[in-house]
Amino acid sequence: LYTDQLVSADLLDTLFTAYVPIPNSDGFGYGYGWAIGEQLGRRVANHSGGIEGFSAHIARYADDGVVVIVLSNQQRTNPQAIATALAQILFEDE
């Protein structure tokens, strides 16, 4: 999704544009399955999910060419917090 070889540039822009504000989310909006906003001073598109016994989070920092994915087989885990901490470690060195 970093080129328009698979999906056109116009469609990528549509996919990663926030259309509906997400209440109580520090400025994030919802757009085509992604929560889109700013985190750690960078644009990010992310999505969390889970089902009994499992949880997951993906954070895509497209401008930086970075994707952080956390998968857990423990429902009590907070994969979003782990993904944010990993991204923070990664971006600290810049």
Side-chain angles (χ1 to χ4, degrees), residues 47-90:
H47 186 83
S48 294
I51 193 167
E52 273 187 55
F54 302 95
S55 58
H57 183 78
I58 179 172
R60 183 175 187 265
Y61 300 87
D63 296 340
D64 300 285
V66 171
V67 176
V68 179
I69 300 171
V70 176
L71 307 172
S72 175
N73 62 353
Q74 293 187 358
Q75 196 169 356
R76 287 180 271 150
T77 301
N78 184 342
Q80 184 173 2
I82 295 168
T84 301
L86 290 171
Q88 189 170 20
I89 291 167
L90 177 68

Short mmCIF file of all heavy atoms in Angstrom, two decimals, residues 47-90:
data_model
loop_
_atom_site.label_atom_id
_atom_site.label_comp_id
_atom_site.label_asym_id
_atom_site.label_seq_id
_atom_site.Cartn_x
_atom_site.Cartn_y
_atom_site.Cartn_z
N HIS A 47 -5.96 0.21 13.72
CA HIS A 47 -7.17 -0.57 13.93
C HIS A 47 -6.89 -1.65 14.99
O HIS A 47 -5.83 -2.28 14.96
CB HIS A 47 -7.61 -1.25 12.63
CG HIS A 47 -8.92 -1.95 12.75
ND1 HIS A 47 -10.12 -1.30 12.63
CD2 HIS A 47 -9.22 -3.24 13.00
CE1 HIS A 47 -11.11 -2.16 12.79
NE2 HIS A 47 -10.59 -3.35 13.03
N SER A 48 -7.82 -1.80 15.90
CA SER A 48 -7.72 -2.83 16.93
C SER A 48 -8.86 -3.82 16.79
O SER A 48 -9.90 -3.49 16.21
CB SER A 48 -7.78 -2.21 18.33
OG SER A 48 -6.66 -1.40 18.57
N GLY A 49 -8.66 -4.99 17.33
CA GLY A 49 -9.73 -5.98 17.31
C GLY A 49 -9.45 -7.11 18.27
O GLY A 49 -8.37 -7.20 18.84
N GLY A 50 -10.42 -7.94 18.43
CA GLY A 50 -10.24 -9.07 19.31
C GLY A 50 -11.48 -9.95 19.34
O GLY A 50 -12.54 -9.59 18.85
N ILE A 51 -11.29 -11.09 19.90
CA ILE A 51 -12.35 -12.07 20.10
C ILE A 51 -11.93 -12.88 21.32
O ILE A 51 -10.76 -12.81 21.72
CB ILE A 51 -12.55 -12.94 18.84
CG1 ILE A 51 -13.84 -13.73 18.92
CG2 ILE A 51 -11.36 -13.83 18.59
CD1 ILE A 51 -14.25 -14.36 17.59
N GLU A 52 -12.81 -13.63 21.90
CA GLU A 52 -12.48 -14.36 23.12
C GLU A 52 -11.09 -14.98 23.09
O GLU A 52 -10.80 -15.84 22.28
CB GLU A 52 -13.51 -15.48 23.35
CG GLU A 52 -14.72 -15.01 24.11
CD GLU A 52 -15.61 -16.17 24.47
OE1 GLU A 52 -15.14 -17.13 25.10
OE2 GLU A 52 -16.79 -16.09 24.10
N GLY A 53 -10.24 -14.49 23.97
CA GLY A 53 -8.90 -15.05 24.11
C GLY A 53 -7.85 -14.43 23.22
O GLY A 53 -6.67 -14.77 23.34
N PHE A 54 -8.21 -13.53 22.33
CA PHE A 54 -7.25 -12.94 21.41
C PHE A 54 -7.48 -11.45 21.26
O PHE A 54 -8.61 -10.97 21.35
CB PHE A 54 -7.37 -13.59 20.02
CG PHE A 54 -7.18 -15.07 20.04
CD1 PHE A 54 -8.28 -15.92 20.13
CD2 PHE A 54 -5.91 -15.63 20.00
CE1 PHE A 54 -8.12 -17.29 20.16
CE2 PHE A 54 -5.75 -17.00 20.04
CZ PHE A 54 -6.84 -17.83 20.12
N SER A 55 -6.40 -10.70 21.02
CA SER A 55 -6.51 -9.28 20.74
C SER A 55 -5.38 -8.89 19.79
O SER A 55 -4.34 -9.56 19.73
CB SER A 55 -6.45 -8.46 22.03
OG SER A 55 -5.26 -8.71 22.74
N ALA A 56 -5.61 -7.81 19.04
CA ALA A 56 -4.63 -7.40 18.05
C ALA A 56 -4.72 -5.90 17.79
O ALA A 56 -5.75 -5.28 18.05
CB ALA A 56 -4.86 -8.15 16.74
N HIS A 57 -3.64 -5.34 17.29
CA HIS A 57 -3.61 -3.92 16.91
C HIS A 57 -2.61 -3.75 15.78
O HIS A 57 -1.54 -4.35 15.80
CB HIS A 57 -3.22 -3.05 18.11
CG HIS A 57 -3.24 -1.59 17.80
ND1 HIS A 57 -4.41 -0.87 17.74
CD2 HIS A 57 -2.25 -0.72 17.51
CE1 HIS A 57 -4.13 0.39 17.44
NE2 HIS A 57 -2.82 0.49 17.29
N ILE A 58 -2.97 -2.92 14.80
CA ILE A 58 -2.06 -2.53 13.73
C ILE A 58 -2.02 -1.01 13.69
O ILE A 58 -3.07 -0.36 13.77
CB ILE A 58 -2.49 -3.12 12.36
CG1 ILE A 58 -1.52 -2.67 11.27
CG2 ILE A 58 -3.91 -2.77 12.01
CD1 ILE A 58 -1.74 -3.34 9.92
N ALA A 59 -0.82 -0.46 13.62
CA ALA A 59 -0.63 0.98 13.48
C ALA A 59 0.26 1.21 12.27
O ALA A 59 1.36 0.67 12.18
CB ALA A 59 0.02 1.55 14.74
N ARG A 60 -0.24 2.01 11.34
CA ARG A 60 0.47 2.26 10.08
C ARG A 60 0.88 3.73 10.03
O ARG A 60 0.05 4.62 9.93
CB ARG A 60 -0.44 1.92 8.91
CG ARG A 60 0.21 2.05 7.57
CD ARG A 60 -0.75 1.56 6.47
NE ARG A 60 -0.10 1.53 5.20
CZ ARG A 60 -0.17 2.52 4.31
NH1 ARG A 60 -0.88 3.59 4.58
NH2 ARG A 60 0.46 2.41 3.16
N TYR A 61 2.18 3.97 10.12
CA TYR A 61 2.75 5.31 10.01
C TYR A 61 3.27 5.45 8.58
O TYR A 61 4.46 5.29 8.31
CB TYR A 61 3.89 5.50 11.02
CG TYR A 61 3.46 5.33 12.46
CD1 TYR A 61 3.43 4.08 13.06
CD2 TYR A 61 3.07 6.43 13.21
CE1 TYR A 61 3.03 3.92 14.39
CE2 TYR A 61 2.66 6.28 14.54
CZ TYR A 61 2.65 5.02 15.11
OH TYR A 61 2.26 4.88 16.42
N ALA A 62 2.37 5.71 7.64
CA ALA A 62 2.69 5.65 6.21
C ALA A 62 3.77 6.64 5.80
O ALA A 62 4.62 6.31 4.97
CB ALA A 62 1.43 5.87 5.38
N ASP A 63 3.77 7.83 6.37
CA ASP A 63 4.77 8.83 5.99
C ASP A 63 6.18 8.38 6.36
O ASP A 63 7.16 8.83 5.77
CB ASP A 63 4.48 10.18 6.66
CG ASP A 63 3.16 10.78 6.19
OD1 ASP A 63 2.67 10.39 5.12
OD2 ASP A 63 2.64 11.65 6.91
N ASP A 64 6.27 7.50 7.36
CA ASP A 64 7.57 7.01 7.83
C ASP A 64 7.90 5.63 7.28
O ASP A 64 8.98 5.10 7.54
CB ASP A 64 7.57 6.95 9.37
CG ASP A 64 7.32 8.31 9.98
OD1 ASP A 64 8.25 9.13 9.96
OD2 ASP A 64 6.19 8.56 10.45
N GLY A 65 6.96 5.02 6.57
CA GLY A 65 7.18 3.67 6.04
C GLY A 65 7.25 2.62 7.14
O GLY A 65 7.96 1.63 7.02
N VAL A 66 6.49 2.83 8.22
CA VAL A 66 6.54 1.95 9.39
C VAL A 66 5.15 1.38 9.67
O VAL A 66 4.16 2.11 9.67
CB VAL A 66 7.05 2.72 10.63
CG1 VAL A 66 6.91 1.90 11.89
CG2 VAL A 66 8.49 3.17 10.43
N VAL A 67 5.11 0.08 9.94
CA VAL A 67 3.88 -0.58 10.39
C VAL A 67 4.23 -1.38 11.64
O VAL A 67 5.20 -2.13 11.64
CB VAL A 67 3.30 -1.52 9.31
CG1 VAL A 67 2.09 -2.27 9.85
CG2 VAL A 67 2.95 -0.74 8.06
N VAL A 68 3.44 -1.19 12.69
CA VAL A 68 3.63 -1.95 13.93
C VAL A 68 2.38 -2.82 14.12
O VAL A 68 1.26 -2.31 14.13
CB VAL A 68 3.81 -1.02 15.15
CG1 VAL A 68 3.98 -1.84 16.42
CG2 VAL A 68 4.99 -0.07 14.94
N ILE A 69 2.61 -4.12 14.27
CA ILE A 69 1.51 -5.06 14.47
C ILE A 69 1.76 -5.83 15.76
O ILE A 69 2.85 -6.38 15.94
CB ILE A 69 1.39 -6.05 13.30
CG1 ILE A 69 1.14 -5.29 11.99
CG2 ILE A 69 0.29 -7.07 13.55
CD1 ILE A 69 1.24 -6.15 10.76
N VAL A 70 0.77 -5.86 16.63
CA VAL A 70 0.87 -6.61 17.88
C VAL A 70 -0.28 -7.61 17.91
O VAL A 70 -1.45 -7.23 17.76
CB VAL A 70 0.81 -5.69 19.12
CG1 VAL A 70 0.83 -6.50 20.40
CG2 VAL A 70 1.96 -4.69 19.10
N LEU A 71 0.06 -8.87 18.10
CA LEU A 71 -0.92 -9.95 18.21
C LEU A 71 -0.77 -10.60 19.57
O LEU A 71 0.36 -10.84 20.01
CB LEU A 71 -0.69 -11.00 17.11
CG LEU A 71 -0.62 -10.48 15.69
CD1 LEU A 71 -0.19 -11.60 14.75
CD2 LEU A 71 -1.96 -9.91 15.26
N SER A 72 -1.86 -10.89 20.23
CA SER A 72 -1.78 -11.49 21.55
C SER A 72 -2.80 -12.61 21.68
O SER A 72 -3.93 -12.50 21.18
CB SER A 72 -2.05 -10.44 22.63
OG SER A 72 -2.09 -11.05 23.91
N ASN A 73 -2.41 -13.67 22.37
CA ASN A 73 -3.37 -14.73 22.65
C ASN A 73 -3.87 -14.63 24.10
O ASN A 73 -4.30 -15.60 24.67
CB ASN A 73 -2.79 -16.11 22.35
CG ASN A 73 -1.59 -16.44 23.19
OD1 ASN A 73 -1.09 -15.60 23.93
ND2 ASN A 73 -1.10 -17.66 23.08
N GLN A 74 -3.80 -13.42 24.64
CA GLN A 74 -4.38 -13.13 25.95
C GLN A 74 -5.29 -11.92 25.79
O GLN A 74 -4.84 -10.84 25.41
CB GLN A 74 -3.29 -12.84 26.98
CG GLN A 74 -2.45 -14.04 27.29
CD GLN A 74 -1.50 -13.76 28.44
OE1 GLN A 74 -1.45 -12.66 28.97
NE2 GLN A 74 -0.75 -14.76 28.83
N GLN A 75 -6.54 -12.09 26.07
CA GLN A 75 -7.52 -11.04 25.86
C GLN A 75 -7.27 -9.83 26.76
O GLN A 75 -7.60 -8.71 26.40
CB GLN A 75 -8.92 -11.59 26.10
CG GLN A 75 -10.01 -10.71 25.55
CD GLN A 75 -11.35 -11.41 25.57
OE1 GLN A 75 -11.45 -12.57 25.93
NE2 GLN A 75 -12.38 -10.72 25.18
N ARG A 76 -6.65 -10.02 27.91
CA ARG A 76 -6.41 -8.92 28.84
C ARG A 76 -5.25 -8.02 28.41
O ARG A 76 -5.05 -6.97 28.97
CB ARG A 76 -6.17 -9.45 30.24
CG ARG A 76 -7.44 -9.97 30.89
CD ARG A 76 -7.17 -10.49 32.27
NE ARG A 76 -6.81 -11.91 32.10
CZ ARG A 76 -6.01 -12.58 32.89
NH1 ARG A 76 -5.45 -12.00 33.90
NH2 ARG A 76 -5.75 -13.84 32.66
N THR A 77 -4.49 -8.44 27.43
CA THR A 77 -3.38 -7.64 26.93
C THR A 77 -3.92 -6.39 26.24
O THR A 77 -4.98 -6.42 25.63
CB THR A 77 -2.56 -8.46 25.91
OG1 THR A 77 -2.09 -9.64 26.56
CG2 THR A 77 -1.40 -7.69 25.37
N ASN A 78 -3.18 -5.30 26.33
CA ASN A 78 -3.55 -4.07 25.63
C ASN A 78 -2.60 -3.90 24.44
O ASN A 78 -1.56 -3.26 24.56
CB ASN A 78 -3.46 -2.87 26.57
CG ASN A 78 -3.93 -1.59 25.91
OD1 ASN A 78 -4.01 -1.48 24.70
ND2 ASN A 78 -4.23 -0.60 26.73
N PRO A 79 -2.93 -4.48 23.28
CA PRO A 79 -2.01 -4.42 22.15
C PRO A 79 -1.78 -3.01 21.62
O PRO A 79 -0.72 -2.70 21.11
CB PRO A 79 -2.67 -5.32 21.10
CG PRO A 79 -4.10 -5.38 21.47
CD PRO A 79 -4.15 -5.22 22.96
N GLN A 80 -2.77 -2.13 21.79
CA GLN A 80 -2.58 -0.75 21.34
C GLN A 80 -1.50 -0.06 22.15
O GLN A 80 -0.65 0.64 21.60
CB GLN A 80 -3.89 0.03 21.42
CG GLN A 80 -3.77 1.43 20.87
CD GLN A 80 -5.11 2.14 20.79
OE1 GLN A 80 -6.14 1.61 21.18
NE2 GLN A 80 -5.09 3.35 20.28
N ALA A 81 -1.50 -0.25 23.46
CA ALA A 81 -0.48 0.36 24.31
C ALA A 81 0.91 -0.20 23.96
O ALA A 81 1.89 0.55 23.93
CB ALA A 81 -0.80 0.12 25.77
N ILE A 82 0.98 -1.48 23.70
CA ILE A 82 2.26 -2.10 23.33
C ILE A 82 2.74 -1.54 21.99
O ILE A 82 3.92 -1.20 21.84
CB ILE A 82 2.13 -3.63 23.29
CG1 ILE A 82 1.84 -4.17 24.69
CG2 ILE A 82 3.39 -4.27 22.72
CD1 ILE A 82 1.42 -5.62 24.73
N ALA A 83 1.84 -1.44 21.01
CA ALA A 83 2.21 -0.91 19.69
C ALA A 83 2.70 0.53 19.80
O ALA A 83 3.69 0.91 19.16
CB ALA A 83 1.03 -1.01 18.73
N THR A 84 2.03 1.33 20.61
CA THR A 84 2.44 2.72 20.79
C THR A 84 3.81 2.80 21.45
O THR A 84 4.66 3.59 21.04
CB THR A 84 1.39 3.49 21.63
OG1 THR A 84 0.14 3.44 20.95
CG2 THR A 84 1.81 4.93 21.83
N ALA A 85 4.05 1.97 22.46
CA ALA A 85 5.36 1.94 23.14
C ALA A 85 6.46 1.51 22.17
O ALA A 85 7.56 2.10 22.18
CB ALA A 85 5.31 1.01 24.34
N LEU A 86 6.20 0.53 21.31
CA LEU A 86 7.19 0.10 20.33
C LEU A 86 7.47 1.21 19.32
O LEU A 86 8.64 1.46 18.97
CB LEU A 86 6.71 -1.16 19.61
CG LEU A 86 6.67 -2.43 20.44
CD1 LEU A 86 5.96 -3.55 19.68
CD2 LEU A 86 8.07 -2.86 20.84
N ALA A 87 6.44 1.89 18.84
CA ALA A 87 6.64 2.98 17.90
C ALA A 87 7.41 4.12 18.56
O ALA A 87 8.30 4.71 17.93
CB ALA A 87 5.30 3.49 17.39
N GLN A 88 7.13 4.39 19.81
CA GLN A 88 7.84 5.44 20.53
C GLN A 88 9.33 5.11 20.63
O GLN A 88 10.17 5.98 20.41
CB GLN A 88 7.24 5.63 21.92
CG GLN A 88 7.76 6.82 22.65
CD GLN A 88 6.96 7.10 23.92
OE1 GLN A 88 6.27 6.21 24.43
NE2 GLN A 88 7.05 8.31 24.42
N ILE A 89 9.65 3.87 20.92
CA ILE A 89 11.06 3.44 20.96
C ILE A 89 11.70 3.62 19.59
O ILE A 89 12.81 4.15 19.47
CB ILE A 89 11.17 1.97 21.42
CG1 ILE A 89 10.78 1.84 22.90
CG2 ILE A 89 12.58 1.43 21.19
CD1 ILE A 89 10.55 0.42 23.35
N LEU A 90 11.01 3.22 18.55
CA LEU A 90 11.53 3.34 17.20
C LEU A 90 11.80 4.79 16.81
O LEU A 90 12.85 5.12 16.27
CB LEU A 90 10.55 2.70 16.20
CG LEU A 90 10.93 2.80 14.73
CD1 LEU A 90 12.17 1.95 14.45
CD2 LEU A 90 9.79 2.37 13.86
#
